[in-house]
Amino acid sequence: MVDPETGERLDDGLVLWFPAPRSATGEDVAEFHVHGSRAVLGAVMRVLGRLGLRLAEPGGLYYGWCDRLTGILAHLEAAIDFPDEDLPPEIEHRILTETAELVAEIERHLTDERRGERLRDGIMIAIVGPPNAGKSSLLNRIARREAAITSPIAGTTRDIIEVAIDLQGYPVVLADTAGLRDSGDEIEAEGKRRAVQRAENAEIRLFVFDARHPAEAADAAAWPGPDTILVANKIDLLPPRAQSPRGRANSVMPGLDPGIKGAITGLTDGGEGVDAHGASPWAEGPRDTPGHDDERLALPQETIPLAALTGEGVDALLTALGERVAQSYRIEGPVLTRARHRQALEETVSALRRSLSAFLPELRAEDLRLALRSLGRITGTVDVEDLLDVIFRDFCIGK
Ligand code: GDP
């Protein structure tokens, strides 16, 4: 690590780069693992500050607690070290009050976190697509299949229904959005706005469209890439020819039926061009020649044909979805990070509580040190110098 301006070497360290959206916060995240000396930390922080970076909020919160706890401990240590007297009552009182305040604050923080935990600890999957494509039917089907519905959450108006489920061992939240359709109706427009926003924020999108109207899939082009899974619903309504094993196999992942590809890229209008004789894009036909295979494999999005109504094909979707979700959990680790922070905070609180009921000042100080150490697991180490700082600053010792 070098200072970009002076070329001065700051440290040998490790930088871990987590590109968005697969980071703890969903943003681009870089972790700097550097040596824990003040000189190194100071130098690295100064350089980062020059680049316009500031300490993040949660870190700020933890640092604040750390500072206060260090202050409490320093006062106690100093008081203990006054050799001839008992602890001055006003210092003792102040230490107890400040410790109790800290306990209350950290506990409030832990409670707030838990409230949102169910949602935050699930990967968000948005079900999007045109009205009547079968989004709600699919949500119901998946929710029932997975059985482990923890909470159906009704959306406020006519916009979003969320269901937290356990998908092959991973917590996910399925969100059913309102139809993505332009409308003069103000409430509906608001529903659409929210749906689009939710879809954009979701980590994975299931874009559901009617298999008979592949032109509907064109809107999925707004979210290109592997995180949008195309779902061609209502295959039970396709003419029998399209449902033959070969026709079916041809329309399954990883490629997309040329008719749908045309609809998405706008090259052809595969949409309402389903004629009365059932020449659906899913049918085997002249278009379905081996020559198209390469083209299909190159497509970024996969299409899964299913019928939400009968349940056919839903298992294949769940398998694909499960793999995608598992991949996220392998890459991410925010759940783990959060769990570690939570554990550290819980340990901090119980050590602080012990210190409040401790008899001897020495034992109280020991509990405070343990609390500080737990908190330090989040903020980085708290060293002796921090303590000395406070002691020198607040007591003017040695000056
Ligand atoms: P949404 O507006 O996208 O949420 O669509 P819905 O889930 O409300 O479904 C619209 C209509 O399509 C309903 O009448 C469903 O019963 C019907 N539907 C949904 N999925 C299927 C399917 O796989 N096959 C058939 N035949 N009908 C379906």
Side-chain angles (χ1 to χ4, degrees), residues 127-140 176-179 208 210 212 232-237 306-312:
I127 305 181
V128 296
N132 283 319
K135 297 182 295 299
S136 309
S137 307
L138 183 61
L139 177 79
N140 290 338
D176 176 20
T177 57
V208 183
D210 189 324
R212 297 168 301 170
N233 190 29
K234 309 193 188 182
I235 53 167
D236 57 309
L237 297 180
L306 55 79
L309 204 64
T310 65
E312 191 186 357

Side-chain angles (χ1 to χ4, degrees), residues 110 337 355:
L110 283 169
T337 311
S355 94

Side-chain angles (χ1 to χ4, degrees), residues 108-291:
R108 215 176 311 127
H109 177 78
L110 283 169
T111 318
D112 282 351
E113 278 226 309
R114 207 166 313 161
R115 205 175 297 141
E117 206 165 61
R118 186 189 55 232
L119 293 186
R120 259 184 310 207
D121 281 356
I123 283 192
M124 187 61 80
I125 302 175
I127 305 181
V128 296
N132 283 319
K135 297 182 295 299
S136 309
S137 307
L138 183 61
L139 177 79
N140 290 338
R141 173 64 65 177
I142 293 176
R144 222 172 333 156
R145 181 76 54 101
E146 290 299 301
I149 304 177
T150 48
S151 62
I153 311 149
T156 42
T157 49
R158 51 210 282 187
D159 48 6
I160 294 166
I161 305 285
E162 286 179 347
V163 178
I165 63 166
D166 177 303
L167 183 71
Q168 296 163 22
Y170 296 101
V172 303
V173 177
L174 276 173
D176 176 20
T177 57
L180 299 176
R181 126 183 83 160
D182 291 319
S183 157
D185 183 331
E186 229 170 79
I187 298 177
E188 205 156 80
E190 173 63 13
K192 182 185 170 176
R193 198 188 59 74
R194 290 189 198 188
V196 170
Q197 195 179 27
R198 170 58 52 86
E200 272 162 5
N201 292 343
E203 186 157 342
I204 303 170
R205 281 158 295 274
L206 296 181
F207 188 97
V208 183
F209 63 99
D210 189 324
R212 297 168 301 170
H213 307 297
E216 288 182 345
D219 284 343
W223 303 287
D227 295 336
T228 302
I229 298 174
L230 293 175
V231 175
N233 190 29
K234 309 193 188 182
I235 53 167
D236 57 309
L237 297 180
L238 290 177
R241 233 160 31 115
Q243 295 185 41
S244 74
R246 213 196 123 210
R248 185 69 54 83
N250 279 341
S251 56
V252 183
M253 338 170 269
L256 195 57
D257 185 285
I260 293 178
K261 189 203 174 193
I264 289 177
T265 57
L267 293 177
T268 61
D269 179 17
E272 305 303 323
V274 180
D275 67 31
H277 301 101
S280 126
W282 300 94
E284 294 172 47
R287 268 191 294 189
D288 222 5
T289 56

Side-chain angles (χ1 to χ4, degrees), residues 69 72-74 76-77 80 95 347-348 350-356 358-374 387:
L69 187 47
I72 296 171
L73 181 56
L76 182 57
E77 301 264 24
I80 289 172
I95 286 169
E347 280 169 21
T348 307
S350 59
L352 288 177
R353 283 195 174 286
R354 271 199 316 273
S355 94
L356 282 174
F359 247 1
L360 295 171
E362 287 80 4
L363 293 179
R364 185 172 299 165
E366 179 58 17
D367 284 326
L368 289 178
R369 266 193 294 273
L370 290 174
L372 196 52
R373 196 175 302 160
S374 298
L387 277 181

